[in-house]
Amino acid sequence: MGHEALRDARLGTSVSQPSSSAPVAPPPGLTAPDPAPLGLIAFSLANIIQSFFNAGVNPALFPAAFPLEFLVGGLVQMIAGIFEFRQGSRLGATAFTVLGAFWLCFVIYAKYIVVTLPVEQAHTGTGLFLLPWAVVLLVLTLAAARTTAVLLAAFVSTTVTVSVLTAGEFVQSNALIRVGGGFGFLTAALGLYGAFAGLVNGTWGRHLIPTYPDPGKRLERLARDKPRPTSVTSSAAEHPEPSS
């Protein structure tokens, strides 16, 4: 034992034991996991099972979809959204959290609310329930233009799905609802492809599965002279522009 070790032992410290308050660095090469594949899988599974019923499966079996829609489409997707906040992804965090909330609300509506509505007004009530979500999805779709073509296509398909289902409920058209079910399957397929690409590219550490990044790059010229925003809710006082 050297002089420094003896001195540390007398002082009650040890050079081999780091302070408990000091941050521990991760092993070399280990990075924070990407929550997007988890969110996309939850998103896709909920869409798949719901699309079967929209496409015409016996409605008496509808309660069989509730556990998956509530736990996976709702809770798991919201968890992915929370981790997207930690990753600093505005769109991913907002989308997964909002869509997770949609599935939670949908299960509560379908199980407890729609059965209390007058039979002749139930379709209108469901249309009113879906309409705000269609508007939110349109906003998310526009925001996704600078991500990847795969994610943009998934948002476009989701927006079309919910919009067609909303119209079908308002006009009481089973044909439109079945068309919405078809688009729902397409939405789920795009989401699963995105999850597959995220998992393979992440685990292999290289871009093996194409996602076609930044499809909206041509729109960049519209904001060429605009400063990069930090947050929609940030004030000018919080982030003043640098003086020239």
Side-chain angles (χ1 to χ4, degrees):
M1 182 180 291
H3 296 291
E4 293 182 359
L6 287 171
R7 181 194 62 195
D8 292 330
R10 294 191 192 101
L11 294 175
T13 61
S14 173
V15 294
S16 62
Q17 299 295 328
S19 171
S20 60
S21 61
V24 178
L30 183 64
T31 58
D34 179 12
L38 173 63
L40 288 170
I41 288 174
F43 164 82
S44 300
L45 290 179
N47 273 282
I48 288 173
I49 195 166
Q50 181 59 38
S51 295
F52 279 114
F53 294 99
N54 291 335
V57 170
N58 185 359
L61 301 176
F62 194 28
F66 290 164
L68 190 151
E69 291 177 351
F70 188 88
L71 295 175
V72 180
L75 294 180
V76 171
Q77 198 168 181
M78 289 195 78
I79 291 171
I82 292 170
F83 278 95
E84 285 277 13
F85 275 112
R86 297 187 63 182
Q87 294 280 86
S89 172
R90 288 184 179 92
L91 180 62
T94 304
F96 286 140
T97 305
V98 167
L99 291 173
F102 166 79
W103 286 110
L104 294 176
C105 293
F106 178 77
V107 170
I108 293 172
Y109 173 81
K111 186 171 179 61
Y112 300 108
I113 306 300
V114 72
V115 294
T116 67
L117 301 178
V119 176
E120 65 278 5
Q121 296 294 321
H123 284 282
T124 302
T126 303
L128 290 172
F129 170 81
L130 292 174
L131 181 59
W133 299 103
V135 175
V136 170
L137 283 165
L138 177 60
V139 173
L140 294 173
T141 300
L142 296 175
R146 295 302 303 271
T147 56
T148 64
V150 172
L151 186 62
L152 177 61
F155 274 120
V156 170
S157 183
T158 309
T159 303
V160 172
T161 300
V162 177
S163 299
V164 171
L165 291 174
T166 302
E169 293 291 350
F170 276 129
V171 302
Q172 300 186 33
S173 169
N174 289 330
L176 279 178
I177 293 174
R178 293 192 177 190
V179 170
F183 275 106
F185 285 121
L186 175 61
T187 297
L190 290 168
L192 287 175
Y193 178 87
F196 171 67
L199 288 171
V200 172
N201 293 343
T203 54
W204 284 71
R206 57 188 64 187
H207 199 75
L208 296 175
I209 309 300
T211 56
Y212 310 102
D214 204 359
K217 187 173 178 59
R218 294 180 181 178
L219 301 176
E220 187 177 12
R221 60 184 177 82
L222 299 177
R224 184 176 302 165
D225 300 325
K226 302 289 192 304
R228 181 178 177 84
T230 54
S231 173
V232 174
T233 57
S234 298
S235 68
E238 291 174 316
H239 301 280
E241 295 184 3
S243 58
S244 57

